[in-house]
């Protein structure tokens, strides 16, 4: 059961979720890039043996990626439980997950072990505490590769040191509309942070949703990285809200937002790309209290449920694009049937 975090509501207009990911490798074993099938399977078996039974994250379940269909694997990407690269069904690739998916781990992706804690809302410290608890549990039972000078050893040098990536999923439509994102991304890079698309490295933002994460893992403690990310995130929140305050005075913007709600409540066919654009507008409407009857958390769940692979999994079969578009529209209509506009005051 996820603990309540009061900041989740305070920042839910912008921050969807918080993730902490730790990269770890077993001492004396080659990195996954040069492992053969037998070596990967042996490493996975060693790690799984430690994670069987009760853990600080509860009882965990293991699934071999090779046992999944392509649609099932892609649905896990949409849930942010695995990376797109991890869908390649190599022997020895295993996903470990908790009942509520707040904890998961990829075995034999880029590193032997990549554990993550994923929580709703803005809760960096809580997510880090949970990840640290699982890391200590594992470190007491597994021989991690560690160097006194370089810290945790990882396949990619950019993860050396703490091996930690902390990230926030942020909705930044006003700054995107104002053409600010390229300049902000460049400035963040100078501060040791990176701004990526919704599925991380190499992905594009959809529905103005971006992933903000730390870039520096060497020479900086986990706590310093968390503090830096927290401070920068709060600055971005303030900038986004200021940009919205300016844009939202426009009657044209209000019209776009409320038209988006009308389209979602009445569409019979809805592609995922169109849905994400319209949902972004509705999220703004909820934040500005122009739309009532639906919460940001409900919109977040809806977004997850109607992604292409996830919607097929929900039906228990592969669907053609037209079938998905029809079903997505029906699910969105059902989810938003209580949502209604609250007439915003037009600018004089």
């Amino acid at each position: 059961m996820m603990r309540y975090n009061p900041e989740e509501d305070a920042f839910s207009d912008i921050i969807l979720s918080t993730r902490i990911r730790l990269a770890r490798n077993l001492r004396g074993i080659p990195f996954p890039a040069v492992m053969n099938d037998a070596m990967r399977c042996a490493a996975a078996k060693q790690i799984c043996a430690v994670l069987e039974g009760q853990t600080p994250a509860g009882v965990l379940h293991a699934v071999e990626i090779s046992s999944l269909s392509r649609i099932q694997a892609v649905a896990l990407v949409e849930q942010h439980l695995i990376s797109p690269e991890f869908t390649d069904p190599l022997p020895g690739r295993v996903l470990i997950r908790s009942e509520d998916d707040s904890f998961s781990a990829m075995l034999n992706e880029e590193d032997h072990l990549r554990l993550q804690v994923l929580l709703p809302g803005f809760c960096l410290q809580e997510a880090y505490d949970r990840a640290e608890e699982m890391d200590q549990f594992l470190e007491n039972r597994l021989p991690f590769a560690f160097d006194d000078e370089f810290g945790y050893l990882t396949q990619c040098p950019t993860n050396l040191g703490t091996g930690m990536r902390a990230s926030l999923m942020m909705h930044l439509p006003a700054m995107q509309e104002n053409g600010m994102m390229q300049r902000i991304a460049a400035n963040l890079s100078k501060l040791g942070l990176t701004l990526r698309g919704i599925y991380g490295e190499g992905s594009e933002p959809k529905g103005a949703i971006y992933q903000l994460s730390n870039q520096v893992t060497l020479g900086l403690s986990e706590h310093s990285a968390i503090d830096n990310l927290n401070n920068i995130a709060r600055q971005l929140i303030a900038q986004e809200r200021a940009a919205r305050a300016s844009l939202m005075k426009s009657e044209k913007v209000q019209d776009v937002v409320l038209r988006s709600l009308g389209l979602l409540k009445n569409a019979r066919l809805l592609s995922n790309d169109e849905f994400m654009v319209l949902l972004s507008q509705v999220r703004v409407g909820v934040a500005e209290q122009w739309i009532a009857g639906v919460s940001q958390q409900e919109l977040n769940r809806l977004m997850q449920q109607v992604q292409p692979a996830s919607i097929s999994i929900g039906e228990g079969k592969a669907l053609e694009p037209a079938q998905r578009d029809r079903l997505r529209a029906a699910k969105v209509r059902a989810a938003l049937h209580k949502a209604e506009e609250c007439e915003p005051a037009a600018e004089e």
Side-chain angles (χ1 to χ4, degrees), residues 70-133:
R70 175 65 181 172
I71 292 177
Q72 288 174 321
V74 173
L76 293 173
V77 176
E78 294 173 351
Q79 296 169 46
H80 302 284
L81 294 180
I82 68 174
S83 65
E85 294 76 18
F86 200 61
T87 60
D88 187 4
L90 296 175
R93 281 191 163 176
V94 177
L95 170 66
I96 306 290
R97 60 198 298 189
S98 62
E99 290 284 353
D100 63 359
D101 288 332
S102 61
F103 172 83
S104 62
M106 292 184 291
L107 309 189
N108 295 316
E109 192 233 26
E110 187 176 89
D111 296 288
H112 296 143
L113 171 64
R114 284 197 167 185
L115 65 88
Q116 79 165 16
V117 170
L118 180 65
L119 298 177
F122 189 13
C123 48
L124 279 166
Q125 190 59 52
E126 179 178 347
Y128 173 73
D129 290 344
R130 292 199 194 189
E132 173 68 9
E133 186 178 28

Side-chain angles (χ1 to χ4, degrees), residues 46-79:
Q46 183 179 359
I47 297 171
C48 285
V50 171
L51 291 172
E52 289 177 350
Q54 190 66 34
T55 74
V59 177
L60 306 178
H61 304 278
V63 57
E64 294 185 16
I65 298 302
S66 60
S67 71
L68 302 177
S69 68
R70 175 65 181 172
I71 292 177
Q72 288 174 321
V74 173
L76 293 173
V77 176
E78 294 173 351
Q79 296 169 46

Side-chain angles (χ1 to χ4, degrees), residues 268-304:
R268 262 45 187 176
L269 294 173
L270 197 57
S271 72
N272 192 57
D273 287 345
E274 182 184 14
F275 165 73
M276 291 296 290
V277 171
L278 296 173
L279 181 71
S280 177
Q281 300 290 352
V282 170
R283 284 183 60 87
V284 171
V286 173
E288 296 297 316
Q289 299 184 339
W290 299 345
I291 297 173
V294 64
S295 68
Q296 298 286 7
Q297 290 76 18
E298 288 171 320
L299 294 178
N300 295 343
R301 288 192 291 271
L302 175 63
M303 179 178 67
Q304 173 60 56

Side-chain angles (χ1 to χ4, degrees), residues 52 56 110 170 184 199 236 258 279 287 308 325 335:
E52 289 177 350
E110 187 176 89
M170 307 185 73
I184 287 173
Y199 296 117
L236 289 178
L258 296 178
L279 181 71
D325 292 353

Side-chain angles (χ1 to χ4, degrees), residues 19 39 52 56 58 74 111 122 154 213-214 218 303 332:
R19 186 190 73 174
M39 296 168 72
E52 289 177 350
V74 173
D111 296 288
F122 189 13
T154 56
S213 62
N214 68 297
L218 186 61
M303 179 178 67
V332 170

Side-chain angles (χ1 to χ4, degrees), residues 1 20 49 58 87 141 176 191 289 312 321:
M1 196 71 177
I20 301 291
T87 60
R141 294 161 176 81
Q176 178 177 278
L191 299 172
Q289 299 184 339
S312 292

